[in-house]
Amino acid sequence: ANYFSKFSKAPVICKLVGRKVLDGVGQPTLEVEIYCTVKNYEKRICSIVMASHSQTPENALPETTEADEKERNDSVHTAVEWVNESLTTMLRDLESTDQCQADKTLGEYFANKVEEKKEIQKREEEEAAKVTPAPASCPPTPVPKQKKGGKPVKKVLVEENPIPPAEPAEPVLCGSLAIGGTSLAIAKAGATISHVPLYLYIALLKHGQKPPKEMTLPLPMVTLLNCEKNLPTKLKLVKEVMLIPPVELSLKQGIERIQDIQKEMTRLLESSGKMPGPQADSKKGKSQSSGKKAPPPFLKRISHLGCLTTGYDNLEQLLLLMQKSCKNIGLELGTDVYLAINCAAHELMDYERGKYEILTGTFKSPEEMVPMYMEMINNFPFIIALIDPLRKEDREQWSSICCALGSKCYLIAEDAATHISKLKTDQNINIAVCSGVVLKYINETKVSDLIELTGILDGQRHITILGSPDGESLDESLVDLAVGLGARFLKLGGLSRGERVAKYNRLLAIEEELAANGTLREAKLEFIDFAGESQPEEQLPDVLPAPEQD
């Protein structure tokens, strides 16, 4: 029976099912199920759940948050319709292993939807223009002119601080989750039908069906602390503190080491009274504690990133506590474990002053940020990665910081990187110089997009980091994508919350499997020396449009 089954017709997609489900933080997201016709029977093959991603900052106004939630609900509702109606019809009878054709069909469908949206917007603008002859006479009224003329000081301030304005957020088409969800579900179905794990299936797609002799696991960036920027503490420069285990350890040993540090860090925070939660509440009777603890009743002991939430008044205070927690259990930062810091600089910019607010009331211009980071890395060499140390608009400073620190520290763009779809299709693409980019599998991103883009980044000596969005789900496919694509790092959050721990468990399972097969290769930490390169910023755009030429 097994012999003759090899000659049977290849399984083909017969039905897609989309449904609205909840992610790890209770937000609506999309689940896509794949059904195939296998030996003349309809059979459910697999399903995936997309992670939700919000561009709304932590300190957003309630109205902005409400609008974002409504937009998310509408997008999921539209995505479910697309999957159950149009995409099911278009992809029916397609072989589940034909990822290239599936992604091509999805790309064309999405491009048509984008054009439809543009036409609707154009018609709405034309109709609005017809009805607005009266408002056209409003601008000459003296009120706005008096405002502009009456405050010449503001004009002078703008001229004195000529920082590049913030680029508008990438528009997200309502329903785009359906494209990414369907692409990933088809890849997972193809792996299931081919009887290979998803990470190997992705690697085969990337390398033209040539099986890799060895595979390297991405190093985990495990979030230990989440320093929310709306806390009453002064330090604003640090959003996340992450631990990276050394390459000499197995992943299992590295995770265990980080767990030990987390336990000791928790103990130190509780003993110092900085830990939010019941421990902090019990101390409210003390005069010293009640004054400090009154403002943040919103604090959670574990944040949505699966790590401890706390705040500090300066960077040295934070890093010295990190050193102490490691020293207490016989470890040394920079040897036994490394540090990465997510600065999220785009959330620090005060546009009126044209400066970053690194501490409450302390501001630095983009030019002053570079020597500050140089001093930080020189004083604390165990920091081997900075994520978003600057906004993406500060290109000159990105170039300067890479030349100064690129040989001893990874300078990574997360928010500072352009959207995946734009990175791949825009002919005039030009992102700031950096060591690597955090890629997130969200919205209309397709599996073939990631394969193509990681190939380009590999060719440019840029490292790839696959990142977990804020609203994660229990789906573990992100880990298989990272392993199959050969990512250098994997940014999953902390070692708490089921949706995050599930991914670490999947990574441990893949390590066991590769070790048993004798195909596991040790990872390497190699920095990029930008100082020796001439005009590094000019080189990236020349290569990124290559997919269009191919």
Side-chain angles (χ1 to χ4, degrees):
N2 289 342
Y3 174 78
F4 282 111
S5 69
K6 295 173 186 175
F7 301 97
S8 63
K9 185 182 175 184
V12 294
I13 296 169
C14 63
K15 183 172 68 173
L16 303 179
V17 177
R19 66 171 61 92
K20 177 181 173 181
V21 295
L22 299 179
D23 65 14
V25 291
Q27 293 291 346
T29 189
L30 173 72
E31 180 184 26
V32 180
E33 275 185 329
I34 299 278
Y35 287 77
C36 288
T37 304
V38 184
K39 300 186 181 72
N40 298 323
Y41 289 97
E42 183 182 296
K43 184 179 178 183
R44 181 189 181 278
I45 304 300
C46 65
S47 71
I48 67 99
V49 178
M50 285 291 283
S52 61
H53 179 64
S54 173
Q55 293 180 326
T56 308
E58 288 175 2
N59 53 357
L61 295 170
E63 307 84 64
T64 309
T65 308
E66 284 176 21
D68 180 65
E69 287 177 3
K70 183 181 182 306
E71 190 179 320
R72 190 198 302 261
N73 266 303
D74 292 344
S75 185
V76 173
H77 179 73
T78 306
V80 170
E81 284 184 356
W82 287 8
V83 172
N84 290 334
E85 296 169 12
S86 308
L87 296 182
T88 291
T89 306
M90 294 168 69
L91 295 169
R92 188 177 288 126
D93 296 330
L94 179 74
E95 286 189 25
S96 57
T97 52
D98 195 349
Q99 188 72 35
C100 186
Q101 183 58 44
D103 283 351
K104 185 182 176 185
T105 304
L106 290 169
E108 289 169 355
Y109 178 79
F110 183 73
N112 291 336
K113 287 292 181 182
V114 170
E115 288 305 313
E116 282 178 24
K117 180 78 184 291
K118 285 179 181 176
E119 285 176 15
I120 292 168
Q121 285 178 337
K122 190 179 177 182
R123 262 185 265 132
E124 287 174 353
E125 286 170 7
E126 287 172 356
E127 287 172 11
K130 290 175 185 176
V131 191
T132 52
S137 59
C138 291
T141 53
V143 180
K145 286 191 174 180
Q146 282 176 359
K147 279 185 180 178
K148 285 183 181 177
K151 295 186 180 177
V153 183
K154 280 194 176 180
K155 281 192 175 181
V156 174
L157 281 173
V158 172
E159 286 170 13
E160 286 176 1
N161 301 287
I163 61 160
E167 293 178 13
E170 293 291 333
V172 177
L173 185 67
C174 187
S176 58
L177 273 172
I179 305 301
T182 304
S183 177
L184 185 55
I186 290 172
K188 194 172 179 180
T192 306
I193 295 292
S194 304
H195 304 291
V196 297
L198 180 57
Y199 67 84
L200 182 56
Y201 187 77
I202 297 294
L204 290 169
L205 287 174
K206 183 173 181 178
H207 300 289
Q209 299 302 318
K210 185 180 177 183
K213 293 178 181 177
E214 291 182 310
M215 297 187 78
T216 306
L217 285 178
L219 284 170
M221 286 182 164
V222 184
T223 308
L224 180 69
L225 298 174
N226 178 27
C227 306
E228 293 182 351
K229 301 199 175 184
N230 52 5
L231 297 185
T233 45
K234 292 182 179 179
L235 181 64
K236 307 294 180 190
L237 183 64
V238 176
K239 183 173 184 178
E240 285 178 86
V241 178
M242 292 160 283
L243 296 174
I244 302 172
V247 293
E248 299 82 28
L249 295 183
S250 69
L251 182 68
K252 186 178 179 181
Q253 292 169 326
I255 295 292
E256 287 172 354
R257 180 170 290 183
I258 289 170
Q259 280 183 310
D260 291 339
I261 296 170
Q262 180 173 299
K263 286 174 187 173
E264 180 59 21
M265 194 73 177
T266 304
R267 190 188 69 78
L268 289 175
L269 287 169
E270 286 175 345
S271 62
S272 67
K274 276 189 172 289
M275 173 64 75
Q279 294 90 344
D281 293 338
S282 65
K283 297 181 183 180
K284 277 192 176 182
K286 298 183 182 179
S287 58
Q288 195 176 17
S289 187
S290 60
K292 286 273 182 181
K293 293 290 182 266
F298 321 100
L299 290 184
K300 306 167 288 293
R301 178 176 177 176
I302 299 295
S303 82
H304 68 284
L305 296 174
C307 60
L308 303 172
T309 303
T310 185
Y312 294 89
D313 289 327
N314 58 64
L315 185 64
E316 288 73 20
Q317 182 189 16
L318 164 61
L319 296 177
L320 290 173
L321 188 64
M322 288 292 306
Q323 282 182 308
K324 183 180 178 182
S325 63
C326 288
K327 190 176 179 182
N328 285 357
I329 56 173
L331 300 175
E332 186 181 349
L333 276 174
T335 306
D336 302 309
V337 70
Y338 302 99
L339 233 59
I341 291 178
N342 182 3
C343 303
H346 56 285
E347 297 178 12
L348 304 177
M349 178 56 74
D350 184 321
Y351 285 95
E352 287 187 11
R353 289 183 170 88
K355 293 185 176 183
Y356 293 100
E357 187 177 18
I358 59 166
L359 298 169
T360 304
T362 303
F363 299 87
K364 285 191 182 290
S365 67
E367 292 77 17
E368 293 169 329
M369 294 289 277
V370 177
M372 182 199 72
Y373 285 122
M374 289 171 66
E375 184 181 353
M376 180 199 298
I377 300 302
N378 287 334
N379 291 342
F380 304 102
F382 48 76
I383 301 173
I384 64 163
L386 293 174
I387 298 175
D388 285 343
L390 298 156
R391 299 180 310 142
K392 60 184 168 186
E393 295 84 2
D394 296 324
R395 295 169 185 269
E396 280 185 38
Q397 288 72 37
W398 269 100
S399 184
S400 301
I401 198 174
C402 283
C403 287
L405 296 175
S407 60
K408 56 180 85 170
C409 178
Y410 291 111
L411 299 149
I412 298 164
E414 183 172 355
D415 184 84
T418 318
H419 199 273
I420 287 177
S421 58
K422 193 173 180 184
L423 273 174
K424 181 177 167 289
T425 59
D426 191 348
Q427 290 293 327
N428 301 314
I429 185 62
N430 186 11
I431 64 171
V433 183
C434 57
S435 308
V437 179
V438 178
L439 303 176
K440 294 180 180 178
Y441 196 88
I442 53 173
N443 302 325
E444 73 273 16
T445 303
K446 302 184 292 295
V447 170
S448 56
D449 293 339
L450 278 184
I451 290 171
E452 201 166 312
L453 192 53
T454 52
I456 294 165
L457 292 170
D458 292 346
Q460 277 293 307
R461 296 195 309 129
H462 284 72
I463 63 168
T464 299
I465 302 99
L466 252 70
S468 180
D470 291 341
E472 257 302 353
S473 68
L474 281 169
D475 194 282
E476 305 158 0
S477 306
L478 180 71
V479 178
D480 287 78
L481 282 173
V483 176
L485 294 168
R488 181 73 58 87
F489 293 106
L490 187 53
K491 186 172 175 284
L492 295 175
L495 291 172
S496 299
R497 296 188 64 96
E499 68 274 15
R500 306 211 175 254
V501 175
K503 292 172 181 57
Y504 286 109
N505 287 338
R506 174 62 184 152
L507 196 56
L508 289 168
I510 293 174
E511 180 185 50
E512 279 186 18
E513 195 172 318
L514 292 177
N517 296 338
T519 55
L520 181 62
R521 186 176 61 204
E522 188 179 284
K524 291 182 181 179
L525 283 175
E526 295 175 335
F527 300 110
I528 302 167
D529 187 4
F530 292 89
E533 297 182 6
S534 58
Q535 297 180 333
E537 193 168 8
E538 306 298 328
Q539 294 178 4
L540 191 57
D542 293 338
V543 178
L544 279 174
E548 295 298 319
Q549 295 165 12
D550 292 345

